[in-house]
Amino acid sequence: MKVGSLKADGTKRLICFQINRDRARSTVEEEPSPTVLPASPSFRESAIAIVETILIFLCFVAVAGQNPPAVNESHYLTKAKHFWNPDWCPGDIFLASSFSHWLFYFGLGWPTKYLSLSTFAWLGRLMTWAVMACAWRRLSWRLIPVPMMGCFSAILFLILNERFHLAGEWVVGGFEAKGIAYCFVVFALGDMLIGRWRRVWPWLGTAAAFHVLVGGWAMLAAGLSWFLSQRTNRLHRGAVGWSTSWQSIGQQLTVQSPYVLLGLALLVIGAIPPLLADQQATPAEIAAASLIYVNQRIAHHLTFAAFPTMHVARFVLLILAWALLFNWNFKRCLDNQNRLPALYSFGLGSLAISLGGLVLSGLADSDNAAQMFAARLLRFYWFRLADFAIPATTALAIGWVTGTWLRYENNRTRKICAALAISLVLVAASLLVCERIADPRPFADQRSMPNYPGEDSRTQQTYTNWRKVCRWIEINTPTDAVFITPYEQQTFKWYAGRTEVVNWKDVPQDATSIIEWDRRVQELLEPQRKFELGLMNYSDEQLQAMSQKYQADFLVVPQWQVELVSTPTELRQVYPVPGDHKSTFVVFEF
């Protein structure tokens, strides 16, 4: 793109870009010398950076700031609490299973000893969002140094990640290890753009230490990006010259090797706990657990055949837009210090990983041996990185075009188009926030509790009554009591603080526990799916037998199922007190 008349305050920045670009072309090592970097930011530039970072943070709060627990917070933060206090919900099959994200639980879970889960969730969220805001603003500024373009690209990324994902991956949301890991991935991308590869690998290794799959897949995609950056020798006038000097690549690999090894050492910290989880399991148990995990419980994240058609269509459209955008800007981006190609190659690496998941998904539908092989590998979330990388790189590329047209172009039409793009993104973001506000329930309850379309008051009342029964249980039952709970919920432990026999959301991570979890699901949760009366379809004798089998003390069931039973149960009802007002849920004591 021919750059038009430059504004006075943008001239110095572009001159620095030109110096850096020329240096990058003339040397094998991309690590820029401090002598060619822009001067220390002025007070005005620092103030703009702070304000923009705060605005990005507030955007995160507006989109993801619902009351806790978020979808995964009821899953991971209860486990963090149990990690530091094993007497809390003792014997719970999920909480007592292996701790895959050990660094997260050990390093950040200790406040659960002193704070409520909701307070802990808010503190963790605010910390994660603040770090992500700093990382994103840094990344955006290194791509296009135009004020507020970081805020624009961050909002666009949130929209694309929310509405155009393939496998349900999110980046900005509740507090968990994944959110922290993505912060370090964004920091790594910021250094990747300016060729500081020595910093990229420790960033990604730290991400993998918190969440081995997020950091590990990102490290693999970054490796492809590094290789392509080494192979690219000259980029000028729209032509691409490929270097044939494998010797220079080998030399660079030698230079990078200490930092790569540091990143891999950090990755090992995150990889050891999952690897040790199945140390006591037999090969047959590991194979059976893999099939349960991949084909039943997490199929909507892991296997292509389980993805909704609409999700596939939306993601394909996003990929087409991503490819066209980068192709259209390929010649133009050469005047921007070769930074857009770094984003493109990282996104390309994420798609290559997803292609591997697509092949494995095909094998999963073949004969038994191939199915077992595919299931063992599909557990590693092959589609996860693309759900982050394609929306993120698309948003950044659009931000680059928009910022360039607004700041450095004199073409009136382009300025109008850029302003229109910003307006449309702000309108879409406003609609997304309004959608969030429309349902005040926490995300975890929105996803799991009964919903009655067109009956908002009934939906809200069901949630309110769920909170009431959990509060009563927390106050009036022993702390070591064990409960058989309804299928349509995932927040019992969060609100009541009591052990569950089984919960659909809370699948363990080690093979032995997964098999036991599945057996309990088939016996206690599947009847609630299949039969109108759920567990009340069983006789009192059968319910008592199950209580003895799983050492359960109480049973929680929907009240409408109790009322439909032809033969009233003789189990002792402790909530609500017989003759008292009706409630959505009933508690029986065995």
Side-chain angles (χ1 to χ4, degrees), residues 408-421:
Y408 303 122
E409 287 283 349
N410 283 334
N411 187 304
R412 184 185 297 266
T413 302
R414 289 183 173 179
K415 286 183 177 293
I416 293 174
C417 289
L420 182 60

Side-chain angles (χ1 to χ4, degrees), residues 426-483:
L426 291 177
V427 170
S430 300
L431 294 175
L432 182 60
V433 173
C434 290
E435 181 184 286
R436 294 281 199 262
I437 297 174
D439 191 343
R441 297 176 300 165
F443 280 155
D445 292 306
Q446 291 182 31
R447 296 288 182 88
S448 59
M449 293 293 293
N451 290 281
Y452 305 97
E455 300 182 63
D456 293 342
S457 60
R458 184 183 178 189
T459 299
Q460 182 63 36
Q461 188 61 45
T462 300
Y463 162 70
T464 301
N465 289 338
W466 174 247
R467 294 291 304 270
K468 286 181 179 179
V469 69
C470 290
R471 179 61 176 165
W472 183 90
I473 289 170
E474 182 184 28
I475 295 173
N476 295 280
T477 63
T479 57
D480 59 351
V482 179
F483 286 76

Side-chain angles (χ1 to χ4, degrees), residues 350-384:
S350 73
L351 290 179
I353 294 169
S354 294
L355 181 61
L358 185 61
V359 173
L360 290 172
S361 296
L363 291 177
D365 294 330
S366 57
D367 59 74
N368 189 55
Q371 185 183 43
M372 289 291 185
F373 171 77
R376 291 287 299 274
L377 294 179
L378 281 172
R379 295 182 303 164
F380 302 124
Y381 290 77
W382 292 69
F383 303 95
R384 161 167 271 160

